[in-house]
Amino acid sequence: WWRHAEAIARLEALWRSWEHLRLDPATGTSVWLRDHADHHMNVLLDADAGPFKYCTPERGHSSRLDPLPLVEPPQGLFT
């Protein structure tokens, strides 16, 4: 997981939000689960679109990324 910048950013966001919300004795944990953990874990573990989609238990890490779509700009737009 540490080879994926998106995973690092999302886990850091989870940790920071947890540190803030855990101090709320009323609904902090519930808010964290609903608004942060559920969202980021769904993205991280999405086998079709998550940052680990090309990694497998058999082969391990894969740094393969789909290229971003590109439409050539009109001639002369950038000089």
Side-chain angles (χ1 to χ4, degrees):
W1 64 267
W2 59 91
R3 295 180 178 175
H4 299 272
E6 180 182 355
I8 292 169
R10 288 183 180 279
L11 291 169
E12 176 73 16
L14 281 171
W15 178 253
R16 288 174 181 254
S17 62
W18 168 254
E19 285 299 317
H20 176 75
L21 289 168
R22 72 182 179 88
L23 300 176
D24 177 352
T27 60
T29 301
S30 180
V31 169
W32 182 79
L33 288 167
R34 182 195 67 208
D35 294 349
H36 301 278
D38 290 346
H39 171 74
H40 288 295
M41 293 308 291
N42 281 332
V43 173
L44 284 169
L45 300 176
D46 186 331
D48 296 322
F52 309 117
K53 70 180 176 180
Y54 297 116
C55 300
T56 65
E58 297 78 28
R59 292 188 309 255
H61 171 70
S62 173
S63 59
R64 178 180 156 208
L65 296 174
D66 290 332
L68 294 173
L70 171 66
V71 175
E72 291 293 331
Q75 182 100 18
L77 182 62
F78 300 103
T79 57

